Amino acid sequence: TQGLELDPKTLQAIDADGDGRVRAQELLAAVEWTGRMLKDPEVLTAGKDVLQLDSINDADPEGKRLKASAIRILTGLGKKDATSISAAETEDSKKIFADTLYNGDGVIPPESATSPELQAAMADIIKAVGSVEDRSGKQGLNEELLKKFFEEAERFVAWSKKGEDEGIRPIGDATGAALAAVDAVRAKVDDYFLRCRFAAFDARFNAGVEKDASAFAKLADGVLSNATPELDAIPLATPGVGRALPLVDGLNPVWSARVQAFRTAALEPIVGKVDALSEDDWNKVVGTLAAHAAWKAEAHGAIVEGLGIERVTALLNDGTRAGVEAMLAEDMVVKQEADDVFLVD
């Protein structure tokens, strides 16, 4: 069906099993069908790309559908009084279906919604789960995407309700910000206390991890910023046996802003105001927020989260699903008629 001096679209239409090759039986079947659709197959021998509507055999049930579809195509193109149809008029399905409310492809664009509210709802659903192209070239929703959205929406609402539990919100509305501040420094603080424990294990460890003078001299020769990778990689502070992490003096300057944000958002609400962070206090902070961290990590319909809990709840309860499903059902009613458009081509 490809690479020949014949129209690939025609060959693909004849290729009934879609294997990329036209075989004898498929060609014979195409000849039989074409002949049956015409009152007199001799009209084809003229080699024209225009077919008179009266040439279609409307005595055959399929031919009757074919002629009706040809008339619908012409009407849709603003040529309802035309007596013939051309290949050019049948090949652009997007143009044919551009102004139709339903086209039998199982996809409903928001523009086809029966109310402004439903149109806005469908647009929000598409923001969350994406869309597929319908026969008119517009983006819309099909049954699969609709089902996916509402499954995720129900999961998200249930997860959000679970998050209202006091055990998951140990410091109330500030819990989320506290966990974010902890996560921003977690790896670095864990690294610091691990270095302190290794210092207790072997005094030679600190000497082995200290930056030598030549490395610092190399850094001093360039233009430094908080984004300099070598500075970011330096430990938060000089580790020592049983040493608390200093929160002011002696703290890696590149990490100062993130550590102070942690201090304000998480450390002070849970432990209180301190100038140095002990490993016990660090573990207390992490432990206090552990249930919230576990809740955040749960599968929770994240793809709809961007719409916000109020909007998602509204979409679950305002009849949006029933409205779109009704339109999808209407679309399937005209599936045969729409499919016939391709038979005309």
Side-chain angles (χ1 to χ4, degrees), residues 106 199 243 295 323:
R243 188 184 183 207
W295 171 73

Side-chain angles (χ1 to χ4, degrees), residues 46-230:
K48 296 181 179 180
D49 63 355
V50 174
L51 179 68
Q52 297 299 316
L53 297 183
D54 283 344
S55 296
I56 300 174
N57 180 20
D58 51 8
D60 182 278
E62 194 172 5
K64 185 176 181 179
R65 286 181 11 226
L66 201 73
K67 186 172 183 178
S69 185
I71 293 172
R72 276 196 299 274
I73 292 172
L74 292 167
T75 301
L77 295 175
K79 302 176 182 180
K80 65 177 182 178
D81 296 324
T83 58
S84 63
I85 191 165
S86 69
E89 289 167 334
T90 65
E91 67 180 357
D92 189 351
S93 61
K94 290 182 179 180
K95 187 175 181 180
I96 292 169
F97 292 116
D99 298 320
T100 58
L101 182 60
Y102 301 118
N103 54 35
D105 63 355
V107 179
I108 303 295
E111 297 91 328
S112 298
T114 53
S115 70
E117 294 77 14
L118 186 56
Q119 181 174 343
M122 292 175 68
D124 281 342
I125 293 173
I126 287 173
K127 287 179 186 177
V129 298
S131 61
V132 292
E133 185 175 281
D134 85 336
R135 284 173 170 170
S136 69
K138 298 173 183 176
Q139 296 296 315
L141 293 171
N142 58 14
E143 184 177 357
E144 182 181 353
L145 288 176
L146 191 68
K147 179 181 179 183
K148 179 180 181 181
F149 175 82
F150 282 100
E151 286 178 349
E152 293 296 301
E154 290 172 357
R155 185 178 292 115
F156 176 64
V157 170
W159 175 81
S160 298
K161 186 175 181 180
K162 180 180 177 181
E164 297 172 1
D165 187 274
E166 289 184 3
I168 290 175
R169 303 170 70 251
I171 54 175
D173 292 341
T175 304
L179 180 63
V182 167
D183 287 340
V185 299
R186 186 189 298 269
K188 221 47 185 172
V189 174
D190 285 341
D191 169 83
Y192 172 79
F193 286 122
L194 181 60
R195 290 176 184 274
C196 289
R197 292 197 296 276
F198 262 96
F201 168 69
D202 192 325
R204 295 170 296 180
F205 179 77
N206 274 351
V209 297
E210 288 176 352
K211 299 289 183 182
D212 58 38
S214 62
F216 279 108
K218 184 177 180 181
L219 285 172
D221 289 339
V223 177
L224 302 179
S225 73
N226 284 347
T228 302
E230 293 83 358

Side-chain angles (χ1 to χ4, degrees), residues 13-33:
I14 299 171
D15 178 21
D17 59 7
D19 67 351
R21 295 175 179 275
V22 172
R23 304 186 187 279
Q25 293 304 316
E26 291 172 320
L27 186 60
L28 291 171
V31 169
E32 186 279 328
W33 180 84

